[in-house]
Amino acid sequence: MVERLATTCGPLELANPVLAASGTFGYGDSFERFWPLSLLGGFVTKTLFVAPRDGNPAPRVAETSAGMLNSIGLANVGWEAFVRDKAPRVNALRGRSRMIVNVAGNAPEEFGEIAARVEADRDVVRCDAVEVNVSCPNVKEGGTNIGCHIGQFRDAVRRVRAATTLPIFVKLSPNVADVVPFALCAADEGAEGVSLVNTLYGMQIDTERRAPVLGTGSGGLSGPAILPVGVHWVFKVRAALPELPILGIGGITTWRDALQYLMAGAQAVQVGTASFVNPHACPDILAGLDRWCASRNVAIRDVVGAAHRVGEAVEEPVWTG
Amino acid sequence: MNPGAVRTLPLVEVEDVSKGTYWLRFHAPAGFACDPGHFFMLSSPENGAPFLGRPLSIGDVHGERFGFLVRALGGATAWFRTLPVGSPIRLVGPLGRPFLQPERSVHCMVAGGIGLAPFFYLARRLRATQPGARIELRYGERSADAHAPLMEAEGELFDVVERFTDDGSLGARGTVVDGLDDRLGDPNAAWYACGPHAMLRALARRLDEAGATDVQFSLEERMACGFGVCQACIVPNRSGKPRYRLLCMDGPVLDPREVAW
């Protein structure tokens, strides 16, 4: 794409600010039937554990007002199968698009184990960064406890940091009273950046059956319904930690949604649930951002954090590229 | 249409056929192609309507039109019915694995409720490729008012139609599973079925006991994407390895003997 869309998020040089979010993009090759992977600034793989997981019983999804609940249960092929079957194919397709592998474990020690596997296989996998999923709300003994309790959270991030020199982005849960201390903790432990937000806890009840719809009862809420929540936390984290790189996530469906995250302070965004409904969501958002930048004669980098300039006269920077 | 194409097409016709059941029809764009048993994800191209798409089996492809037989069960299936002609609808597809069409002298289709949907196109295709074959439809509903009139399809597409209702208000009293005796054990028959889970489970057992081997069921599950990413549409696998399969990729047409009912 064009230079006005180029951005950097910490150590990641991105051709554009649109990434595909974990859990909504398979391992990178699932959308090849619709458009080329190389269009994206980057993508994040489905959460990988050391061992494969079958995931939760059905039903696993439910539609809500402007969104959906899921309780997939982190079904994944396991690290070995990813390295053997998925990574080579995806690397052949991705061009300049950055690959971020998302990892998790059922306890802080397992985060260290999976990070050590990523480090050991990094020359084969050729990923550009690791995203640490401490905040998936579906696994009883895992993500939720870790992502919502600062002690375990710190322990998990520390173990990942000790195991790999790859850039680390910690994906933060919104299911806490304040996300900022978790972002601060991630930065303290040496993470290069944060991704926020993951899904919000939610439940839907079938009033005829008088029982929860999802097989596991509760699940994670995503989609346009959570857009303001994600924008809020990105804004707050940016205000508290202006130097910390941020990947903004949560409910992005249109290019204007993406722009909200960028203006709140994210250097780049991840598009998730929207891709289920509109497989062209990522390229559509990219095209919209490009048109907007062209019409305003600005570059994406110039609008990052723009909404923080409250009270200042907003001067539109001139794009000269 | 290439496999997995995304198109936004104007709704051309909505036709009510029975209580709560209607056809949604579109003009086939250039290059449109799909096979019986394929499905499409239909959704609103604008925010604000039902958020997720709905998987719908291709109902029929005839002349320059194609359509979906839909039952309004709330949410998106009720919302589609309210749309005026000309409304844009996003269609992703064709998706999934369609019906195999083995050469047989008899093709037996068994439909429960809105499970009738895929059989118009399947019968139309079989009629064209195997003109000498006999095509039978066994079609059950709870009551007479839900029965979709088959109009010219009866005779043109189906040589025999046997109707069933739970309450006996139309056709034979009972379910389609009760009405197979004359054909069970026929080694020349290929079987196709679509309908509620309980019906399919009972039918799978019945056909298995009768030794039927050429059996294909079109199943339904909740799904968010339709192309293998969301991982919602799991079907428990009889062999247990893997534990689950994804209906959108391995189905929606499956051999019932591979399913852990």
mmCIF file with all atom_site columns, all heavy atoms in Angstrom, chain B residues 72-94:
data_model
loop_
_atom_site.group_PDB
_atom_site.id
_atom_site.type_symbol
_atom_site.label_atom_id
_atom_site.label_alt_id
_atom_site.label_comp_id
_atom_site.label_asym_id
_atom_site.label_entity_id
_atom_site.label_seq_id
_atom_site.pdbx_PDB_ins_code
_atom_site.Cartn_x
_atom_site.Cartn_y
_atom_site.Cartn_z
_atom_site.occupancy
_atom_site.B_iso_or_equiv
_atom_site.pdbx_formal_charge
_atom_site.auth_seq_id
_atom_site.auth_comp_id
_atom_site.auth_asym_id
_atom_site.auth_atom_id
_atom_site.pdbx_PDB_model_num
ATOM 1   N N   . ALA B 1 72 ? -39.227 -18.464 9.218  1.00 0.00 ? 72 ALA B N   1
ATOM 2   C CA  . ALA B 1 72 ? -39.028 -17.367 10.169 1.00 0.00 ? 72 ALA B CA  1
ATOM 3   C C   . ALA B 1 72 ? -39.088 -17.921 11.585 1.00 0.00 ? 72 ALA B C   1
ATOM 4   O O   . ALA B 1 72 ? -40.148 -18.260 12.087 1.00 0.00 ? 72 ALA B O   1
ATOM 5   C CB  . ALA B 1 72 ? -40.100 -16.296 9.969  1.00 0.00 ? 72 ALA B CB  1
ATOM 6   N N   . LEU B 1 73 ? -37.932 -18.077 12.186 1.00 0.00 ? 73 LEU B N   1
ATOM 7   C CA  . LEU B 1 73 ? -37.844 -18.614 13.542 1.00 0.00 ? 73 LEU B CA  1
ATOM 8   C C   . LEU B 1 73 ? -37.331 -17.550 14.504 1.00 0.00 ? 73 LEU B C   1
ATOM 9   O O   . LEU B 1 73 ? -36.778 -17.862 15.547 1.00 0.00 ? 73 LEU B O   1
ATOM 10  C CB  . LEU B 1 73 ? -36.915 -19.841 13.557 1.00 0.00 ? 73 LEU B CB  1
ATOM 11  C CG  . LEU B 1 73 ? -37.371 -21.023 12.692 1.00 0.00 ? 73 LEU B CG  1
ATOM 12  C CD1 . LEU B 1 73 ? -36.286 -22.067 12.574 1.00 0.00 ? 73 LEU B CD1 1
ATOM 13  C CD2 . LEU B 1 73 ? -38.643 -21.623 13.271 1.00 0.00 ? 73 LEU B CD2 1
ATOM 14  N N   . GLY B 1 74 ? -37.489 -16.287 14.146 1.00 0.00 ? 74 GLY B N   1
ATOM 15  C CA  . GLY B 1 74 ? -36.986 -15.197 14.997 1.00 0.00 ? 74 GLY B CA  1
ATOM 16  C C   . GLY B 1 74 ? -35.646 -14.708 14.504 1.00 0.00 ? 74 GLY B C   1
ATOM 17  O O   . GLY B 1 74 ? -35.022 -15.335 13.635 1.00 0.00 ? 74 GLY B O   1
ATOM 18  N N   . GLY B 1 75 ? -35.183 -13.591 15.050 1.00 0.00 ? 75 GLY B N   1
ATOM 19  C CA  . GLY B 1 75 ? -33.883 -13.041 14.673 1.00 0.00 ? 75 GLY B CA  1
ATOM 20  C C   . GLY B 1 75 ? -33.809 -12.776 13.180 1.00 0.00 ? 75 GLY B C   1
ATOM 21  O O   . GLY B 1 75 ? -34.733 -12.224 12.573 1.00 0.00 ? 75 GLY B O   1
ATOM 22  N N   . ALA B 1 76 ? -32.694 -13.170 12.565 1.00 0.00 ? 76 ALA B N   1
ATOM 23  C CA  . ALA B 1 76 ? -32.455 -12.839 11.168 1.00 0.00 ? 76 ALA B CA  1
ATOM 24  C C   . ALA B 1 76 ? -33.459 -13.490 10.226 1.00 0.00 ? 76 ALA B C   1
ATOM 25  O O   . ALA B 1 76 ? -33.852 -12.892 9.217  1.00 0.00 ? 76 ALA B O   1
ATOM 26  C CB  . ALA B 1 76 ? -31.039 -13.239 10.764 1.00 0.00 ? 76 ALA B CB  1
ATOM 27  N N   . THR B 1 77 ? -33.907 -14.712 10.545 1.00 0.00 ? 77 THR B N   1
ATOM 28  C CA  . THR B 1 77 ? -34.827 -15.368 9.610  1.00 0.00 ? 77 THR B CA  1
ATOM 29  C C   . THR B 1 77 ? -36.178 -14.653 9.569  1.00 0.00 ? 77 THR B C   1
ATOM 30  O O   . THR B 1 77 ? -36.881 -14.710 8.563  1.00 0.00 ? 77 THR B O   1
ATOM 31  C CB  . THR B 1 77 ? -35.018 -16.859 9.959  1.00 0.00 ? 77 THR B CB  1
ATOM 32  O OG1 . THR B 1 77 ? -35.384 -16.990 11.333 1.00 0.00 ? 77 THR B OG1 1
ATOM 33  C CG2 . THR B 1 77 ? -33.745 -17.638 9.672  1.00 0.00 ? 77 THR B CG2 1
ATOM 34  N N   . ALA B 1 78 ? -36.547 -13.989 10.682 1.00 0.00 ? 78 ALA B N   1
ATOM 35  C CA  . ALA B 1 78 ? -37.764 -13.167 10.659 1.00 0.00 ? 78 ALA B CA  1
ATOM 36  C C   . ALA B 1 78 ? -37.489 -11.820 9.986  1.00 0.00 ? 78 ALA B C   1
ATOM 37  O O   . ALA B 1 78 ? -38.326 -11.294 9.257  1.00 0.00 ? 78 ALA B O   1
ATOM 38  C CB  . ALA B 1 78 ? -38.277 -12.943 12.083 1.00 0.00 ? 78 ALA B CB  1
ATOM 39  N N   . TRP B 1 79 ? -36.294 -11.317 10.203 1.00 0.00 ? 79 TRP B N   1
ATOM 40  C CA  . TRP B 1 79 ? -35.930 -10.001 9.658  1.00 0.00 ? 79 TRP B CA  1
ATOM 41  C C   . TRP B 1 79 ? -35.873 -10.022 8.126  1.00 0.00 ? 79 TRP B C   1
ATOM 42  O O   . TRP B 1 79 ? -36.373 -9.099  7.455  1.00 0.00 ? 79 TRP B O   1
ATOM 43  C CB  . TRP B 1 79 ? -34.580 -9.577  10.244 1.00 0.00 ? 79 TRP B CB  1
ATOM 44  C CG  . TRP B 1 79 ? -34.058 -8.283  9.721  1.00 0.00 ? 79 TRP B CG  1
ATOM 45  C CD1 . TRP B 1 79 ? -34.478 -7.026  10.047 1.00 0.00 ? 79 TRP B CD1 1
ATOM 46  C CD2 . TRP B 1 79 ? -33.006 -8.121  8.765  1.00 0.00 ? 79 TRP B CD2 1
ATOM 47  N NE1 . TRP B 1 79 ? -33.750 -6.088  9.364  1.00 0.00 ? 79 TRP B NE1 1
ATOM 48  C CE2 . TRP B 1 79 ? -32.840 -6.731  8.574  1.00 0.00 ? 79 TRP B CE2 1
ATOM 49  C CE3 . TRP B 1 79 ? -32.183 -9.009  8.064  1.00 0.00 ? 79 TRP B CE3 1
ATOM 50  C CZ2 . TRP B 1 79 ? -31.887 -6.220  7.698  1.00 0.00 ? 79 TRP B CZ2 1
ATOM 51  C CZ3 . TRP B 1 79 ? -31.232 -8.495  7.196  1.00 0.00 ? 79 TRP B CZ3 1
ATOM 52  C CH2 . TRP B 1 79 ? -31.091 -7.108  7.024  1.00 0.00 ? 79 TRP B CH2 1
ATOM 53  N N   . PHE B 1 80 ? -35.305 -11.081 7.541  1.00 0.00 ? 80 PHE B N   1
ATOM 54  C CA  . PHE B 1 80 ? -35.232 -11.170 6.074  1.00 0.00 ? 80 PHE B CA  1
ATOM 55  C C   . PHE B 1 80 ? -36.624 -11.014 5.460  1.00 0.00 ? 80 PHE B C   1
ATOM 56  O O   . PHE B 1 80 ? -36.793 -10.377 4.424  1.00 0.00 ? 80 PHE B O   1
ATOM 57  C CB  . PHE B 1 80 ? -34.659 -12.525 5.627  1.00 0.00 ? 80 PHE B CB  1
ATOM 58  C CG  . PHE B 1 80 ? -33.184 -12.724 5.918  1.00 0.00 ? 80 PHE B CG  1
ATOM 59  C CD1 . PHE B 1 80 ? -32.723 -13.937 6.427  1.00 0.00 ? 80 PHE B CD1 1
ATOM 60  C CD2 . PHE B 1 80 ? -32.258 -11.728 5.670  1.00 0.00 ? 80 PHE B CD2 1
ATOM 61  C CE1 . PHE B 1 80 ? -31.368 -14.131 6.680  1.00 0.00 ? 80 PHE B CE1 1
ATOM 62  C CE2 . PHE B 1 80 ? -30.893 -11.917 5.919  1.00 0.00 ? 80 PHE B CE2 1
ATOM 63  C CZ  . PHE B 1 80 ? -30.462 -13.127 6.431  1.00 0.00 ? 80 PHE B CZ  1
ATOM 64  N N   . ARG B 1 81 ? -37.625 -11.620 6.137  1.00 0.00 ? 81 ARG B N   1
ATOM 65  C CA  . ARG B 1 81 ? -38.994 -11.605 5.608  1.00 0.00 ? 81 ARG B CA  1
ATOM 66  C C   . ARG B 1 81 ? -39.558 -10.186 5.528  1.00 0.00 ? 81 ARG B C   1
ATOM 67  O O   . ARG B 1 81 ? -40.432 -9.902  4.721  1.00 0.00 ? 81 ARG B O   1
ATOM 68  C CB  . ARG B 1 81 ? -39.878 -12.501 6.498  1.00 0.00 ? 81 ARG B CB  1
ATOM 69  C CG  . ARG B 1 81 ? -41.362 -12.475 6.168  1.00 0.00 ? 81 ARG B CG  1
ATOM 70  C CD  . ARG B 1 81 ? -41.629 -13.028 4.769  1.00 0.00 ? 81 ARG B CD  1
ATOM 71  N NE  . ARG B 1 81 ? -43.010 -12.779 4.361  1.00 0.00 ? 81 ARG B NE  1
ATOM 72  C CZ  . ARG B 1 81 ? -43.434 -11.640 3.835  1.00 0.00 ? 81 ARG B CZ  1
ATOM 73  N NH1 . ARG B 1 81 ? -42.606 -10.630 3.663  1.00 0.00 ? 81 ARG B NH1 1
ATOM 74  N NH2 . ARG B 1 81 ? -44.696 -11.522 3.465  1.00 0.00 ? 81 ARG B NH2 1
ATOM 75  N N   . THR B 1 82 ? -39.054 -9.282  6.379  1.00 0.00 ? 82 THR B N   1
ATOM 76  C CA  . THR B 1 82 ? -39.599 -7.927  6.421  1.00 0.00 ? 82 THR B CA  1
ATOM 77  C C   . THR B 1 82 ? -38.985 -7.015  5.361  1.00 0.00 ? 82 THR B C   1
ATOM 78  O O   . THR B 1 82 ? -39.422 -5.876  5.191  1.00 0.00 ? 82 THR B O   1
ATOM 79  C CB  . THR B 1 82 ? -39.338 -7.271  7.797  1.00 0.00 ? 82 THR B CB  1
ATOM 80  O OG1 . THR B 1 82 ? -37.927 -7.063  7.944  1.00 0.00 ? 82 THR B OG1 1
ATOM 81  C CG2 . THR B 1 82 ? -39.840 -8.157  8.927  1.00 0.00 ? 82 THR B CG2 1
ATOM 82  N N   . LEU B 1 83 ? -37.956 -7.484  4.679  1.00 0.00 ? 83 LEU B N   1
ATOM 83  C CA  . LEU B 1 83 ? -37.227 -6.604  3.760  1.00 0.00 ? 83 LEU B CA  1
ATOM 84  C C   . LEU B 1 83 ? -38.006 -6.363  2.477  1.00 0.00 ? 83 LEU B C   1
ATOM 85  O O   . LEU B 1 83 ? -38.530 -7.300  1.878  1.00 0.00 ? 83 LEU B O   1
ATOM 86  C CB  . LEU B 1 83 ? -35.869 -7.219  3.400  1.00 0.00 ? 83 LEU B CB  1
ATOM 87  C CG  . LEU B 1 83 ? -34.880 -7.357  4.557  1.00 0.00 ? 83 LEU B CG  1
ATOM 88  C CD1 . LEU B 1 83 ? -33.615 -8.055  4.080  1.00 0.00 ? 83 LEU B CD1 1
ATOM 89  C CD2 . LEU B 1 83 ? -34.545 -5.986  5.128  1.00 0.00 ? 83 LEU B CD2 1
ATOM 90  N N   . PRO B 1 84 ? -38.085 -5.117  2.045  1.00 0.00 ? 84 PRO B N   1
ATOM 91  C CA  . PRO B 1 84 ? -38.718 -4.862  0.744  1.00 0.00 ? 84 PRO B CA  1
ATOM 92  C C   . PRO B 1 84 ? -37.824 -5.331  -0.405 1.00 0.00 ? 84 PRO B C   1
ATOM 93  O O   . PRO B 1 84 ? -36.596 -5.412  -0.255 1.00 0.00 ? 84 PRO B O   1
ATOM 94  C CB  . PRO B 1 84 ? -38.878 -3.337  0.719  1.00 0.00 ? 84 PRO B CB  1
ATOM 95  C CG  . PRO B 1 84 ? -37.938 -2.799  1.727  1.00 0.00 ? 84 PRO B CG  1
ATOM 96  C CD  . PRO B 1 84 ? -37.667 -3.879  2.727  1.00 0.00 ? 84 PRO B CD  1
ATOM 97  N N   . VAL B 1 85 ? -38.480 -5.647  -1.514 1.00 0.00 ? 85 VAL B N   1
ATOM 98  C CA  . VAL B 1 85 ? -37.733 -6.008  -2.728 1.00 0.00 ? 85 VAL B CA  1
ATOM 99  C C   . VAL B 1 85 ? -36.743 -4.892  -3.049 1.00 0.00 ? 85 VAL B C   1
ATOM 100 O O   . VAL B 1 85 ? -37.062 -3.710  -2.902 1.00 0.00 ? 85 VAL B O   1
ATOM 101 C CB  . VAL B 1 85 ? -38.727 -6.250  -3.887 1.00 0.00 ? 85 VAL B CB  1
ATOM 102 C CG1 . VAL B 1 85 ? -38.016 -6.244  -5.237 1.00 0.00 ? 85 VAL B CG1 1
ATOM 103 C CG2 . VAL B 1 85 ? -39.468 -7.564  -3.676 1.00 0.00 ? 85 VAL B CG2 1
ATOM 104 N N   . GLY B 1 86 ? -35.556 -5.287  -3.453 1.00 0.00 ? 86 GLY B N   1
ATOM 105 C CA  . GLY B 1 86 ? -34.523 -4.296  -3.756 1.00 0.00 ? 86 GLY B CA  1
ATOM 106 C C   . GLY B 1 86 ? -33.529 -4.117  -2.615 1.00 0.00 ? 86 GLY B C   1
ATOM 107 O O   . GLY B 1 86 ? -32.448 -3.540  -2.815 1.00 0.00 ? 86 GLY B O   1
ATOM 108 N N   . SER B 1 87 ? -33.871 -4.593  -1.423 1.00 0.00 ? 87 SER B N   1
ATOM 109 C CA  . SER B 1 87 ? -32.954 -4.446  -0.281 1.00 0.00 ? 87 SER B CA  1
ATOM 110 C C   . SER B 1 87 ? -31.660 -5.224  -0.536 1.00 0.00 ? 87 SER B C   1
ATOM 111 O O   . SER B 1 87 ? -31.699 -6.351  -1.022 1.00 0.00 ? 87 SER B O   1
ATOM 112 C CB  . SER B 1 87 ? -33.591 -4.995  0.995  1.00 0.00 ? 87 SER B CB  1
ATOM 113 O OG  . SER B 1 87 ? -34.786 -4.328  1.270  1.00 0.00 ? 87 SER B OG  1
ATOM 114 N N   . PRO B 1 88 ? -30.522 -4.616  -0.184 1.00 0.00 ? 88 PRO B N   1
ATOM 115 C CA  . PRO B 1 88 ? -29.259 -5.329  -0.378 1.00 0.00 ? 88 PRO B CA  1
ATOM 116 C C   . PRO B 1 88 ? -29.031 -6.375  0.718  1.00 0.00 ? 88 PRO B C   1
ATOM 117 O O   . PRO B 1 88 ? -29.265 -6.118  1.901  1.00 0.00 ? 88 PRO B O   1
ATOM 118 C CB  . PRO B 1 88 ? -28.219 -4.204  -0.274 1.00 0.00 ? 88 PRO B CB  1
ATOM 119 C CG  . PRO B 1 88 ? -28.857 -3.164  0.597  1.00 0.00 ? 88 PRO B CG  1
ATOM 120 C CD  . PRO B 1 88 ? -30.340 -3.261  0.355  1.00 0.00 ? 88 PRO B CD  1
ATOM 121 N N   . ILE B 1 89 ? -28.607 -7.547  0.300  1.00 0.00 ? 89 ILE B N   1
ATOM 122 C CA  . ILE B 1 89 ? -28.245 -8.602  1.244  1.00 0.00 ? 89 ILE B CA  1
ATOM 123 C C   . ILE B 1 89 ? -26.842 -9.101  0.872  1.00 0.00 ? 89 ILE B C   1
ATOM 124 O O   . ILE B 1 89 ? -26.543 -9.291  -0.309 1.00 0.00 ? 89 ILE B O   1
ATOM 125 C CB  . ILE B 1 89 ? -29.257 -9.770  1.206  1.00 0.00 ? 89 ILE B CB  1
ATOM 126 C CG1 . ILE B 1 89 ? -30.635 -9.272  1.657  1.00 0.00 ? 89 ILE B CG1 1
ATOM 127 C CG2 . ILE B 1 89 ? -28.791 -10.925 2.093  1.00 0.00 ? 89 ILE B CG2 1
ATOM 128 C CD1 . ILE B 1 89 ? -31.698 -10.339 1.673  1.00 0.00 ? 89 ILE B CD1 1
ATOM 129 N N   . ARG B 1 90 ? -26.011 -9.263  1.883  1.00 0.00 ? 90 ARG B N   1
ATOM 130 C CA  . ARG B 1 90 ? -24.671 -9.805  1.633  1.00 0.00 ? 90 ARG B CA  1
ATOM 131 C C   . ARG B 1 90 ? -24.746 -11.328 1.616  1.00 0.00 ? 90 ARG B C   1
ATOM 132 O O   . ARG B 1 90 ? -25.327 -11.930 2.514  1.00 0.00 ? 90 ARG B O   1
ATOM 133 C CB  . ARG B 1 90 ? -23.691 -9.354  2.716  1.00 0.00 ? 90 ARG B CB  1
ATOM 134 C CG  . ARG B 1 90 ? -22.259 -9.832  2.464  1.00 0.00 ? 90 ARG B CG  1
ATOM 135 C CD  . ARG B 1 90 ? -21.356 -9.665  3.672  1.00 0.00 ? 90 ARG B CD  1
ATOM 136 N NE  . ARG B 1 90 ? -21.099 -8.279  4.006  1.00 0.00 ? 90 ARG B NE  1
ATOM 137 C CZ  . ARG B 1 90 ? -21.459 -7.700  5.142  1.00 0.00 ? 90 ARG B CZ  1
ATOM 138 N NH1 . ARG B 1 90 ? -22.106 -8.387  6.050  1.00 0.00 ? 90 ARG B NH1 1
ATOM 139 N NH2 . ARG B 1 90 ? -21.183 -6.437  5.377  1.00 0.00 ? 90 ARG B NH2 1
ATOM 140 N N   . LEU B 1 91 ? -24.171 -11.912 0.566  1.00 0.00 ? 91 LEU B N   1
ATOM 141 C CA  . LEU B 1 91 ? -24.124 -13.367 0.464  1.00 0.00 ? 91 LEU B CA  1
ATOM 142 C C   . LEU B 1 91 ? -22.668 -13.807 0.370  1.00 0.00 ? 91 LEU B C   1
ATOM 143 O O   . LEU B 1 91 ? -21.919 -13.326 -0.483 1.00 0.00 ? 91 LEU B O   1
ATOM 144 C CB  . LEU B 1 91 ? -24.859 -13.875 -0.781 1.00 0.00 ? 91 LEU B CB  1
ATOM 145 C CG  . LEU B 1 91 ? -26.372 -13.661 -0.822 1.00 0.00 ? 91 LEU B CG  1
ATOM 146 C CD1 . LEU B 1 91 ? -26.695 -12.401 -1.613 1.00 0.00 ? 91 LEU B CD1 1
ATOM 147 C CD2 . LEU B 1 91 ? -27.056 -14.850 -1.450 1.00 0.00 ? 91 LEU B CD2 1
ATOM 148 N N   . VAL B 1 92 ? -22.273 -14.688 1.255  1.00 0.00 ? 92 VAL B N   1
ATOM 149 C CA  . VAL B 1 92 ? -20.940 -15.273 1.194  1.00 0.00 ? 92 VAL B CA  1
ATOM 150 C C   . VAL B 1 92 ? -21.114 -16.735 0.803  1.00 0.00 ? 92 VAL B C   1
ATOM 151 O O   . VAL B 1 92 ? -21.808 -17.484 1.488  1.00 0.00 ? 92 VAL B O   1
ATOM 152 C CB  . VAL B 1 92 ? -20.218 -15.173 2.554  1.00 0.00 ? 92 VAL B CB  1
ATOM 153 C CG1 . VAL B 1 92 ? -18.814 -15.769 2.457  1.00 0.00 ? 92 VAL B CG1 1
ATOM 154 C CG2 . VAL B 1 92 ? -20.158 -13.722 3.030  1.00 0.00 ? 92 VAL B CG2 1
ATOM 155 N N   . GLY B 1 93 ? -20.506 -17.125 -0.289 1.00 0.00 ? 93 GLY B N   1
ATOM 156 C CA  . GLY B 1 93 ? -20.655 -18.519 -0.703 1.00 0.00 ? 93 GLY B CA  1
ATOM 157 C C   . GLY B 1 93 ? -20.424 -18.703 -2.188 1.00 0.00 ? 93 GLY B C   1
ATOM 158 O O   . GLY B 1 93 ? -20.081 -17.736 -2.871 1.00 0.00 ? 93 GLY B O   1
ATOM 159 N N   . PRO B 1 94 ? -20.590 -19.921 -2.670 1.00 0.00 ? 94 PRO B N   1
ATOM 160 C CA  . PRO B 1 94 ? -21.071 -21.104 -1.944 1.00 0.00 ? 94 PRO B CA  1
ATOM 161 C C   . PRO B 1 94 ? -20.025 -21.643 -0.971 1.00 0.00 ? 94 PRO B C   1
ATOM 162 O O   . PRO B 1 94 ? -18.830 -21.541 -1.235 1.00 0.00 ? 94 PRO B O   1
ATOM 163 C CB  . PRO B 1 94 ? -21.347 -22.118 -3.060 1.00 0.00 ? 94 PRO B CB  1
ATOM 164 C CG  . PRO B 1 94 ? -20.437 -21.715 -4.172 1.00 0.00 ? 94 PRO B CG  1
ATOM 165 C CD  . PRO B 1 94 ? -20.316 -20.230 -4.089 1.00 0.00 ? 94 PRO B CD  1
#
